[in-house]
Amino acid sequence: MREFSIFSIWMSISLWLLESSLCAGDSSVVNPCCYYPCQNSGVCVRFGTERYKCDCTRTGFSGENCTVPEFWTRVRVMLKPSPKVVHYVLTHLHWFWDLVNRSFLQDTFMRIVITVRSELIPSPPTYNTKYGYLNWESYYNISYYTRLLPPVPEDCPLPLGTKGKPVLPDPKVVAERFFKRDTFRPDPQGTNLMFAFMAQHFTHQFFRTNHEVQGGFTKAFGHGVDASNIYGDSLMRQLELRLHEDGKLKYQLVDGEMYPPTVSEVPVHMVYPEGFPPKHRLVVGQEFFGFLPGLTMYATIWLREHNRVCDILKAEHPTWDDEQLFQTARLIIIGEIIHIIIEEYVQHLSGYLLKLKFDPSLLFNVRFQYSNRIALEFCQLYHWHPLMPDSFLIDGDEIPYSQFFYNTSLLMHYGVEKLVDAFSRQPAGQIGGGRNSHKVVLSVAEMVIKESRAARVQPFNEYRKKFNLKPYSSFYEFTDDIEMARGLEELYGDIDALEFYPGVMLEKPTPSSIFGESMVEMGAPFSLKGLLGNPICSPEYWKPSTFGGETGFNIIKTSTLKKLVCLNTKWCPYVDFHIPRNEEEAKPRKPSTEL
């Protein structure tokens, strides 16, 4: 507990120096909360101009700065392994996890993983971009992103509080020096472009920042997995996309295959360049998805899957009308999305040897709230553009970005099967460690840094503390790249002034991993809380009748990425979130109905 006493001494000295400067006639008054004095999730409340008080309620700590652990907190801290140790155990000891995955212990460990992670995310939400204190507007106005930590107080002497340079570095300089790719660095975990495009397609249903309004507002219809990227984010758009017959969505047939309709058939807003051929202006739920063929490919697969599910429901329920067929199919699709994301997407990303399991009933006897709000920090850390390669390799052709952007004709030219096969075989880039973003996506990093500053997001190390991680003591501990460490120190001055987004993206990756420790420890709680906080996972929803009976329920419980693709294509390509691990996997596949 030596670190707690050292921190208290440091804070006392800092505040004494502050008071001394004030007494000496310094007219500037520094908000004491700018020092981030309250530790362990304590809340800093300012009184007058010079005093503050830390509210340590239910933190497990007491004392002036919430640094004195209570008895049971001492016990928990002594017994609880560090996040680094937990991650090591979950990614090593094959013999142990082979045993766990074949026994009842799998459910126990899965329940622990979900609850421990989810408890780090407050529910109901706390702060938003406008308010650094609890109030009704933060809770009730869902147009805002919520946020985990309050904003940096506006009256702090420096941009990030009391440490660092008086002026933050130019976002363009940060992006050019630390994000820009020199040589493509593939992800050592074997992540592929099928994963990269799923990440974009999946997250665009709830990450929809309203750039027209400053202040951390979202345009998303909901705050979680609602499949609005398939069905549209408003009732008007949904109704335009629907066929209004047998619950299905509108489509067009090209050489006997189902594809999204064009704007001439569905007159809704889609983002395409001026002069773009009308026949290639495909319409899907998310207006941005015409930008990349990988996103249009996923939109096509989900369109086919929705209509396939409607046929199954229609056969079982011939008396159901169009509305009930559509609404029930949508619930099934949402279930399939969550199942695939947890058991394959998150499984791959985590590197865990524990086999993750989507079974909402695991939480029915524990305290858990079935609601979710998307946090600004979650939206920012999920900008994983280093995944994108230097060019795209499809069926023997190398396609540069200039021919890839806004080229929906690639979908019809190659077909879904060849795109899936190509994207599943091509490696994606490593996200963490910096210097791996293609120049065409570099502006995204600049944009996120600017938005973070406008929202006054607290420094990276403050988020390390919030997620029970040891704050970095220097840039040389933060990264193994000496040149990068020197550059960051030159621009920011102090590790405690390093911004949040550069922190999670530039941090040294853990060995043979796609990114660093902070991304895993911060991203996982947001992900699991959002996925399992979905209404369909609640006891009232999670039962056969919700999904039209056992047949619909089983579609969810047995869904896989391979089934999603192969039940909706003429032949079954190689499909996975991982590049082929051996020559057998890499072999071309024959048409197959065995899934």
Side-chain angles (χ1 to χ4, degrees):
M1 302 305 167
R2 183 169 170 268
E3 59 184 300
F4 299 126
S5 59
I6 291 174
F7 179 83
S8 297
I9 293 170
W10 177 84
M11 274 305 305
S12 298
I13 293 173
S14 299
L15 291 171
W16 177 78
L17 289 172
L18 170 64
E19 291 169 1
S20 297
S21 66
L22 290 171
C23 293
D26 188 348
S27 59
S28 63
V29 177
V30 178
N31 180 348
C33 291
C34 292
Y35 288 89
Y36 309 116
C38 306
Q39 303 300 292
N40 301 299
S41 297
V43 178
C44 184
V45 182
R46 187 181 187 184
F47 290 89
T49 58
E50 303 171 32
R51 292 191 307 111
Y52 76 96
K53 184 175 179 60
C54 292
D55 185 349
C56 308
T57 304
R58 286 183 291 278
T59 63
F61 292 83
S62 59
E64 184 180 5
N65 298 312
C66 307
T67 56
V68 181
E70 298 169 356
F71 174 75
W72 287 113
T73 303
R74 289 179 184 271
V75 173
R76 179 174 56 81
V77 169
M78 285 189 293
L79 296 178
K80 185 179 179 181
S82 68
K84 192 180 296 291
V85 170
V86 171
H87 185 78
Y88 179 86
V89 171
L90 284 166
T91 55
H92 292 75
L93 308 177
H94 285 78
W95 64 269
F96 174 73
W97 294 112
D98 285 344
L99 175 65
V100 168
N101 292 332
R102 294 196 301 265
S103 70
F104 69 93
L105 291 172
Q106 182 193 17
D107 287 356
T108 302
F109 277 98
M110 187 66 200
R111 186 182 299 110
I112 292 171
V113 167
I114 296 169
T115 54
V116 170
R117 295 291 197 189
S118 299
E119 285 174 358
L120 290 168
I121 307 302
S123 187
T126 49
Y127 312 104
N128 66 16
T129 308
K130 183 176 181 179
Y131 299 102
Y133 51 90
L134 298 189
N135 63 86
W136 186 254
E137 183 73 6
S138 293
Y139 164 76
Y140 185 75
N141 189 344
I142 63 171
S143 296
Y144 283 104
Y145 285 119
T146 185
R147 62 195 298 168
L148 205 59
L149 292 180
V152 175
E154 291 182 330
D155 54 355
C156 290
L158 296 174
L160 273 299
T162 59
K163 292 187 178 182
K165 299 289 184 74
V167 178
L168 290 171
D170 185 337
K172 187 175 183 64
V173 171
V174 175
E176 287 282 342
R177 288 185 64 176
F178 308 119
F179 284 77
K180 186 178 180 180
R181 174 182 297 160
D182 293 322
T183 303
F184 175 73
R185 189 172 68 248
D187 169 40
Q189 282 183 218
T191 303
N192 59 24
L193 295 189
M194 195 68 180
F195 176 95
F197 288 123
M198 173 61 93
Q200 288 182 291
H201 190 276
F202 168 68
T203 58
H204 272 72
Q205 61 192 304
F206 45 79
F207 292 157
R208 300 199 63 201
T209 303
N210 189 341
H211 298 289
E212 297 174 2
V213 183
Q214 286 197 347
F217 285 89
T218 174
K219 295 190 292 185
F221 191 61
H223 278 258
V225 182
D226 58 3
S228 57
N229 54 344
I230 301 170
Y231 304 108
D233 63 351
S234 69
L235 181 59
M236 288 182 63
R237 189 177 183 92
Q238 177 204 119
L239 292 174
E240 289 285 355
L241 289 167
R242 286 171 59 177
L243 186 62
H244 298 287
E245 183 179 338
D246 296 336
K248 293 185 177 182
L249 296 172
K250 290 177 182 175
Y251 60 91
Q252 62 168 316
L253 291 177
V254 179
D255 296 329
E257 292 191 272
M258 185 183 297
Y259 288 97
T262 64
V263 290
S264 60
E265 301 166 284
V266 182
V268 299
H269 175 65
M270 289 294 295
V271 178
Y272 286 108
E274 189 175 349
F276 198 74
K279 68 176 182 178
H280 294 318
R281 291 176 179 254
L282 302 184
V283 173
V284 296
Q286 225 280 4
E287 68 268 18
F288 170 74
F289 282 178
F291 179 55
L292 294 170
L295 301 180
T296 319
M297 173 199 72
Y298 267 115
T300 302
I301 293 170
W302 284 115
L303 164 67
R304 294 177 182 181
E305 176 66 1
H306 173 90
N307 287 352
R308 186 186 76 86
V309 169
C310 285
D311 285 336
I312 294 172
L313 291 174
K314 177 70 173 179
E316 289 215 341
H317 305 282
T319 61
W320 281 11
D321 61 10
D322 168 72
E323 187 69 17
Q324 188 165 5
L325 288 168
F326 169 80
Q327 297 295 349
T328 305
R330 180 172 183 166
L331 290 178
I332 292 172
I333 295 300
I334 291 172
E336 288 189 76
I337 293 171
I338 297 174
H339 191 283
I340 291 170
I341 292 296
I342 290 179
E343 293 201 359
E344 297 183 70
Y345 179 98
V346 176
Q347 179 78 67
H348 168 76
L349 202 60
S350 69
Y352 290 171
L353 297 178
L354 168 65
K355 188 176 180 182
L356 301 184
K357 182 179 182 181
F358 175 48
D359 182 359
S361 66
L362 294 176
L363 298 176
F364 288 174
N365 294 318
V366 301
R367 187 183 68 177
F368 191 80
Q369 293 187 328
Y370 294 96
S371 63
N372 189 58
R373 284 280 295 279
I374 297 299
L376 179 68
E377 298 96 337
F378 188 37
C379 179
Q380 291 191 348
L381 70 80
Y382 224 120
H383 284 79
W384 293 348
H385 291 73
L387 287 168
M388 290 292 99
D390 288 336
S391 60
F392 302 87
L393 309 175
I394 305 173
D395 197 31
D397 300 326
E398 182 174 1
I399 302 173
Y401 280 89
S402 59
Q403 297 174 28
F404 195 75
F405 288 159
Y406 290 116
N407 192 351
T408 56
S409 66
L410 291 177
L411 178 64
M412 275 78 160
H413 176 72
Y414 290 103
V416 171
E417 296 86 353
K418 286 185 178 180
L419 288 187
V420 168
D421 193 81
F423 295 151
S424 295
R425 295 173 187 275
Q426 185 171 355
Q430 187 177 35
I431 296 171
R435 297 199 173 110
N436 205 24
S437 291
H438 192 281
K439 61 182 179 181
V440 301
V441 296
L442 212 55
S443 60
V444 177
E446 295 179 43
M447 178 198 69
V448 178
I449 293 171
K450 290 176 182 177
E451 287 182 349
S452 179
R453 292 177 185 179
R456 307 196 314 283
V457 174
Q458 287 195 25
F460 174 62
N461 259 346
E462 293 305 312
Y463 283 94
R464 293 271 299 177
K465 296 176 189 177
K466 181 64 178 178
F467 284 92
N468 302 318
L469 299 169
K470 182 178 177 293
Y472 286 111
S473 59
S474 72
F475 289 105
Y476 299 93
E477 182 187 14
F478 167 76
T479 175
D480 292 331
D481 185 330
I482 301 301
E483 183 185 347
M484 181 180 291
R486 288 173 181 162
L488 289 170
E489 189 170 47
E490 172 197 335
L491 294 179
Y492 286 99
D494 195 299
I495 187 65
D496 286 334
L498 179 62
E499 297 175 273
F500 173 71
Y501 183 66
V504 293
M505 294 297 291
L506 304 179
E507 180 184 32
K508 60 186 176 187
T510 52
S512 301
S513 179
I514 191 169
F515 37 49
E517 175 187 46
S518 299
M519 187 75 81
V520 174
E521 298 300 321
M522 296 178 190
F526 286 120
S527 296
L528 290 174
K529 176 64 173 70
L531 290 165
L532 288 156
N534 194 284
I536 73 161
C537 299
S538 67
E540 287 299 317
Y541 277 67
W542 190 249
K543 48 192 174 185
S545 57
T546 303
F547 310 101
E550 291 292 348
T551 300
F553 206 21
N554 284 330
I555 291 175
I556 296 174
K557 292 193 288 186
T558 62
S559 58
T560 65
L561 180 65
K562 181 180 178 181
K563 288 181 70 172
L564 173 65
V565 170
C566 295
L567 289 174
N568 293 291
T569 50
K570 292 184 296 185
W571 54 276
C572 191
Y574 170 66
V575 52
D576 203 289
F577 289 138
H578 195 288
I579 58 174
R581 298 166 179 82
N582 51 56
E583 291 184 8
E584 185 61 32
E585 277 191 344
K587 289 181 181 178
R589 299 188 174 199
K590 296 179 180 180
S592 174
T593 57
E594 295 180 9
L595 298 172

